């Protein structure tokens, strides 16, 4: 038997070696035909030769965490890359959940110093939540300016209009410039857009949405409208005359985001006719301060719109409903809960091609499970849903699961809102949404992202208990990203996720009763985990140390602090996969967790509620003592 085993191993090794004996030119052509990132990553794990070959043939590279590798590793591993994406600060900084996020780190300088030394100039660079200085931009364009075709600096900070002027002058072949949601300082160059439109003759995409860009000449706007097929302008940008801009856009514009009010427009009928002549226009997006009067100007094209963002619209429920009745080809829709259940019923009836729906919360809005059910009963092609609702039932989630099996991104947020016409009764007592979550994950097998974020409806009520958490582990094997707020009952629930969600890469936990034992489950069982964020849970020093013992994880503790309003922000920690040394640019409010780390972590301001009777009694005693 031993000889037989040796002969079998010898045969396998012989076949393996014969495959690798193919000329490199043939193997390179084979690998070059493979575009799927997951397949390429799998190939690179076969042996060192294929790893080197795969790296040399990869053109598009994503660095999902700028601290996961050393910048030099990027150049050594992928010397021929022409499209590079680098992400910096964690996503949670967008929600002001990390104090002093402006000095968190994610500096672009070491990356820029490497990017300019690639074997060939970079054609596409995307940075997200990075700190980019004007000198970084100057360094980049000094080497890559002529070849740079697409530059995206999304949600970045640190640069000014001086840096944008540098881009405008040097990047003559620019096709796309995206600086959406970035913090742009005043560098004294107010006319950088004038330079850009006169220099970058091939510019097709310009995204300035949710920035403070202003002071643009009317003639420049008209040139941009006539040249770009995607133009998203800043809310701070005042348009003197809308009609010439819309008229200039009638031949090429496919996506327009602009700002205008009907009371500032003297010729709405002419503008409506001009919109009607925009034969290829199929998307309107924020910032669009649409009101009842100006809504009539876009009605001529509503029937062919595929993308519509009304997050910043000044429309009430009746006007929204009237507009949506004509949007029969809509595929991507964003709004606030001002739309109400009535508006969601209109979507379910008339927008049956819808694939992505985002309903953010607004102080004046109110949607419930009835609206979600109406959408589910009509929009069978739905792939992504984000909804902030005041009420939810298992029946509504089951309807969504049964009718929309193609969902890949599911985010259900329950907020404490009350309305005289709709008494919220579903979540009182011991009601849970466990069965609804089970239905979603059982039927939506393509689901890659799940967020369950709930307000706490009383100390003794948990919307998702350990039973629901267990369903996530049992049926969520394909999930890559999970976000939980006020979910679970004990450490036992999280064990099923650690063992069952074998593809989990990013995990976000907030206000959940998970402690040190849960962290041990994640450290020992969840081998695919790349990033973990925990805030206001029951994790203590031992749990943080357990995670830090994993050689592939770097753990950083963010000390408790207060926000701009003086409200306390409890301590939290971020753990992320990295093959690099711990970073040396941490601000003072962040500690690196090492084997000797012994700083007390218990928050002075917060203790996570739990459904456990003893912990509830302890909390009540503490409140009484206060």
């Amino acid at each position: 038997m031993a000889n037989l085993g040796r002969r079998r191993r010898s045969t396998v090794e012989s076949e393996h070696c014969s495959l690798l004996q193919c000329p490199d030119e043939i193997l390179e052509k084979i690998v070059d035909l493979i575009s799927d990132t997951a397949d390429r990553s799998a190939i690179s794990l076969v042996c060192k030769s294929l790893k080197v070959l795969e790296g040399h043939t990869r053109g598009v590279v994503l660095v999902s965490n700028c601290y996961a590798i050393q910048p030099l590793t990027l150049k050594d591993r992928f010397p021929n890359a022409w499209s590079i994406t680098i992400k910096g600060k964690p996503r949670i900084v967008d929600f002001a959940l990390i104090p002093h996020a402006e000095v968190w780190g994610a500096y672009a300088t070491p990356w820029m110093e490497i990017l300019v030394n690639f074997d060939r100039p970079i054609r596409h660079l995307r940075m997200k939540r990075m700190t980019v200085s004007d000198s970084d931009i100057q360094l980049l364009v000094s080497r890559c300016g002529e070849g740079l075709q697409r530059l995206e600096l999304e949600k970045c900070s640190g640069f000014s209009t001086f840096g944008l002027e540098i881009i405008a002058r040097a990047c003559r072949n620019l096709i796309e410039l995206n600086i959406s949601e970035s913090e742009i300082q005043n560098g004294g160059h107010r006319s950088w857009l004038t330079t850009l439109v006169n220099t970058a003759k091939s510019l097709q995409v310009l995204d300035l949405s949710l920035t403070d860009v202003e002071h643009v000449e009317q003639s420049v706007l008209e040139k941009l409208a006539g040249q770009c097929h995607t133009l998203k302008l800043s809310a701070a940008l005042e348009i003197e005359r809308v009609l010439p801009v819309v008229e200039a856009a009638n031949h090429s514009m496919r996506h327009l985001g602009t700002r205008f009010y009907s009371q500032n427009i003297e010729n709405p009928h002419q503008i409506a006719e001009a919109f009607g002549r925009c034969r290829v226009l199929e998307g309107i997006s924020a910032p669009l301060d649409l009101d009842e009067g100006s809504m009539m100007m876009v009605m001529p094209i509503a029937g062919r719109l595929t993308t519509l963002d009304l997050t910043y619209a000044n429309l009430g429920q009746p006007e929204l409903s009237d507009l949506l009745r004509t949007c029969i080809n809509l595929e991507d829709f964003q709004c606030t809960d001002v739309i109400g259940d009535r508006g969601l019923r209109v979507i379910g009836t008339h927008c049956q091609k819808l694939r992505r729906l985002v309903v953010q919360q607004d102080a004046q809005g109110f949607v419930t499970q009835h609206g979600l059910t109406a959408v589910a009963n009509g929009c069978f092609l739905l792939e992504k849903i984000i909804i902030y609702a005041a009420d939810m039932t298992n029946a509504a989630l089951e309807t969504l699961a049964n009718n929309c099996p193609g969902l890949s991104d599911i985010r259900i947020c329950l907020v404490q809102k009350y309305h005289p016409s709709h008494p919220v009764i579903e979540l009182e007592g011991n009601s849970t949404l466990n069965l609804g979550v089970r239905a979603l994950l059982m039927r939506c097998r393509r689901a890659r992202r799940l967020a369950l974020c709930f307000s706490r409806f009383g100390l003794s009520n948990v919307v998702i208990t350990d039973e629901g958490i267990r369903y996530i582990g049992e049926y969520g094997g394909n999930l890559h990203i999970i976000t939980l707020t006020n979910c679970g009952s004990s450490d036992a629930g999280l064990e099923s996720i650690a063992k069952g969600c074998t593809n989990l890469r990013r995990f976000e936990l907030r206000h959940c009763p998970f402690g040190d034992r849960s962290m041990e489950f994640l450290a020992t069982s969840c081998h695919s985990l790349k990033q973990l964020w925990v805030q206001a849970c029951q994790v203590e020093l031992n749990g943080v140390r357990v995670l830090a013992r994993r050689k592939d994880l770097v753990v950083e503790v963010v000390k408790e602090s207060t926000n701009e309003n003086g409200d306390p922000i409890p301590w939290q920690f971020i753990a992320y996969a990295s093959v690099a040394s711990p970073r040396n640019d941490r601000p003072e409010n962040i500690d690196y967790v090492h084997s000797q780390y012994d700083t007390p972590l218990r928050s002075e301001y917060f203790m996570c509620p739990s459904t456990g009777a003893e912990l509830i009694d302890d909390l009540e005693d503490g409140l009484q003592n206060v």
Side-chain angles (χ1 to χ4, degrees):
M1 290 296 292
N3 292 334
L4 179 59
R6 282 194 293 270
R7 285 197 298 271
R8 287 177 177 173
R9 285 195 298 272
S10 177
T11 302
V12 171
E13 292 172 357
S14 176
E15 293 175 353
H16 179 67
C17 292
S18 63
L19 173 64
L20 295 180
Q21 287 174 357
C22 290
D24 288 346
E25 293 80 3
I26 296 178
L27 284 176
E28 183 176 342
K29 291 184 179 297
I30 294 173
V31 174
D32 199 35
L33 293 173
I34 302 173
S35 58
D36 184 79
T37 304
D39 291 340
R40 278 184 159 271
S41 297
I43 289 173
S44 67
L45 298 176
V46 174
C47 63
K48 291 183 178 179
S49 298
L50 283 178
K51 180 179 180 179
V52 172
L53 186 61
E54 190 277 328
H56 280 69
T57 58
R58 188 181 294 200
V60 180
V61 178
L62 165 64
V63 180
S64 57
N65 179 2
C66 65
Y67 292 112
I69 61 173
Q70 293 288 353
L72 184 59
T73 305
L74 176 66
K75 180 180 182 298
D76 293 342
R77 177 82 169 83
F78 308 106
N80 297 310
W82 56 268
S83 174
I84 296 175
T85 297
I86 304 172
K87 296 184 179 181
K89 301 175 185 178
R91 184 184 72 94
I92 50 180
V93 303
D94 294 344
F95 306 98
L97 294 175
I98 294 184
H100 311 296
E102 67 279 2
V103 294
W104 190 86
Y107 298 104
T109 302
W111 293 95
M112 292 297 191
E113 292 172 349
I114 294 298
L115 292 176
V116 297
N117 289 315
F118 266 60
D119 295 340
R120 54 183 179 180
I122 303 298
R123 300 205 304 268
H124 172 211
L125 176 62
R126 180 189 179 210
M127 288 189 164
K128 190 171 184 179
R129 300 188 188 93
M130 297 283 287
T131 303
V132 185
S133 66
D134 289 339
S135 58
D136 293 331
I137 292 175
Q138 195 162 18
L139 178 62
L140 175 69
V141 300
S142 66
R143 174 71 171 87
C144 307
E146 288 291 335
L148 199 61
Q149 297 177 359
R150 297 173 60 196
L151 178 61
E152 301 177 73
L153 302 176
E154 298 178 59
K155 300 183 179 181
C156 291
S157 61
F159 62 94
S160 71
T161 53
F162 174 71
L164 294 175
E165 179 73 19
I166 294 173
I167 294 172
R169 291 184 180 278
C171 302
R172 297 180 176 274
N173 296 309
L174 207 60
I175 297 175
E176 176 181 357
L177 177 61
N178 179 359
I179 55 174
S180 60
E181 300 187 57
S182 289
E183 298 178 12
I184 305 168
Q185 303 168 13
N186 184 5
H189 290 73
R190 299 171 59 179
S191 60
W192 68 271
L193 268 176
T194 304
T195 305
L196 181 69
V197 76
N198 292 327
T199 303
K201 301 295 185 179
S202 301
L203 190 67
Q204 297 179 5
V205 178
L206 178 62
D207 192 345
L208 310 177
S209 55
L210 301 180
T211 65
D212 293 329
V213 173
E214 53 185 356
H215 305 301
V216 180
E217 297 178 4
Q218 177 76 21
S219 59
V220 173
L221 287 176
E222 294 174 21
K223 286 183 180 180
L224 288 171
Q227 179 176 334
C228 298
H229 65 64
T230 298
L231 180 61
K232 300 180 182 180
L233 301 175
S234 165
L237 190 60
E238 295 283 352
I239 299 180
E240 299 175 4
R241 293 179 296 144
V242 175
L243 180 58
V245 175
V246 179
E247 288 179 333
N250 62 8
H251 297 298
S252 60
M253 187 65 64
R254 288 188 295 215
H255 199 120
L256 177 64
T258 186
R259 179 186 186 187
F260 54 85
Y261 289 102
S262 59
Q263 58 264 34
N264 296 331
I265 298 173
E266 298 178 354
N267 44 9
H269 296 293
Q270 288 181 284
I271 295 175
E273 293 176 358
F275 267 118
R277 292 191 292 270
C278 295
R279 300 299 181 186
V280 296
L281 186 62
E282 58 184 20
I284 294 178
S285 63
L288 179 69
D289 291 314
L290 198 65
D291 57 18
E292 182 178 357
S294 54
M295 181 189 74
M296 303 308 298
M297 292 184 287
V298 300
M299 288 296 284
I301 60 169
R304 64 170 182 266
L305 288 178
T306 60
T307 302
L308 182 61
D309 185 350
L310 298 181
T311 305
Y312 299 94
N314 294 319
L315 294 176
Q317 194 177 94
E319 294 78 26
L320 281 169
S321 299
D322 291 341
L323 176 60
L324 290 170
R325 284 190 180 93
T326 64
C327 297
I328 57 175
N329 288 302
L330 204 58
E331 297 180 7
D332 189 335
F333 180 57
Q334 299 183 47
C335 64
T336 67
D337 52 8
V338 170
I339 192 173
D341 289 340
R342 173 183 173 181
L344 292 180
R345 290 191 187 98
V346 173
I347 290 177
T349 303
H350 297 278
C351 308
Q352 298 182 358
K353 296 181 180 180
L354 197 67
R355 295 182 181 274
R356 292 168 291 278
L357 174 64
V358 178
V359 182
Q360 302 284 1
Q361 66 171 325
D362 184 273
Q364 307 300 321
F366 190 88
V367 300
T368 70
Q369 80 275 4
H370 299 299
L372 179 64
T373 302
V375 170
N377 281 327
C379 305
F380 304 138
L381 302 179
L382 211 58
E383 298 173 358
K384 172 182 178 179
I385 183 164
I386 303 175
I387 184 168
Y388 285 77
D391 197 3
M392 192 56 60
T393 62
N394 284 306
L397 296 182
E398 289 171 359
T399 301
L400 182 66
N402 291 330
N403 294 349
C404 306
L407 279 169
S408 61
D409 189 344
I410 307 168
R411 301 184 225 179
I412 308 294
C413 303
L414 216 53
V415 295
Q416 286 183 302
K417 283 189 175 184
Y418 302 96
H419 194 275
S421 64
H422 185 86
V424 180
I425 60 174
E426 174 65 18
L427 295 177
E428 293 182 355
N430 295 318
S431 300
T432 70
L433 297 178
N434 295 333
L435 298 180
V437 171
R438 183 182 68 172
L440 282 170
L441 293 176
M442 284 183 63
R443 294 173 176 82
C444 303
R445 304 305 297 174
R446 298 178 185 175
R448 296 295 181 269
R449 183 167 191 166
L450 176 68
L452 301 172
C453 302
F454 305 128
S455 298
R456 183 166 290 276
F457 292 78
L459 290 177
S460 62
N461 181 267
V462 176
V463 182
I464 301 294
T465 65
D466 280 352
E467 177 187 357
I469 301 296
R470 189 174 68 250
Y471 292 145
I472 296 176
E474 185 175 352
Y475 301 107
N478 293 324
L479 291 174
H480 291 178
I481 303 173
I482 299 177
T483 301
L484 301 178
T485 300
N486 282 326
C487 293
S489 308
S490 68
D491 285 326
L494 204 59
E495 182 178 9
S496 59
I497 289 183
K499 294 181 178 179
C501 298
T502 55
N503 289 300
L504 183 61
R505 297 176 185 174
R506 192 166 79 206
F507 201 9
E508 299 170 344
L509 297 171
R510 187 167 185 249
H511 292 261
C512 295
F514 302 137
D516 293 353
R517 184 63 175 158
S518 294
M519 298 304 104
E520 184 177 344
F521 293 143
L522 293 174
T524 58
S525 301
C526 196
H527 303 294
S528 61
L529 191 63
K530 301 296 183 185
Q531 184 171 320
L532 172 67
W533 173 68
V534 177
Q535 184 191 60
C537 294
Q538 295 175 349
V539 181
E540 298 185 13
L541 189 58
N542 288 336
V544 175
R545 282 176 172 172
V546 166
L547 285 166
R549 291 192 196 110
R550 251 180 67 162
K551 295 181 179 180
D552 62 331
L553 287 182
V554 172
V555 182
E556 296 179 352
V557 167
V558 184
K559 303 173 186 177
E560 58 190 18
S561 181
T562 56
N563 60 18
E564 296 177 353
N565 300 322
D567 301 321
I569 300 177
W571 77 272
Q572 55 195 287
F573 72 86
I574 302 170
Y576 54 88
S578 176
V579 295
S581 303
R583 64 189 181 115
N584 55 13
D585 58 2
R586 293 185 307 277
E588 293 181 356
N589 67 318
I590 294 181
D591 285 345
Y592 165 64
V593 179
H594 48 78
S595 58
Q596 305 300 321
Y597 186 76
D598 59 358
T599 303
L601 298 178
R602 184 176 293 277
S603 175
E604 299 177 6
Y605 306 105
F606 180 84
M607 177 178 176
C608 177
S610 171
T611 54
E614 294 180 359
L615 288 173
I616 291 176
D617 292 340
D618 292 342
L619 180 60
E620 291 175 347
D621 291 341
L623 293 175
Q624 290 171 2
N625 292 333
V626 172

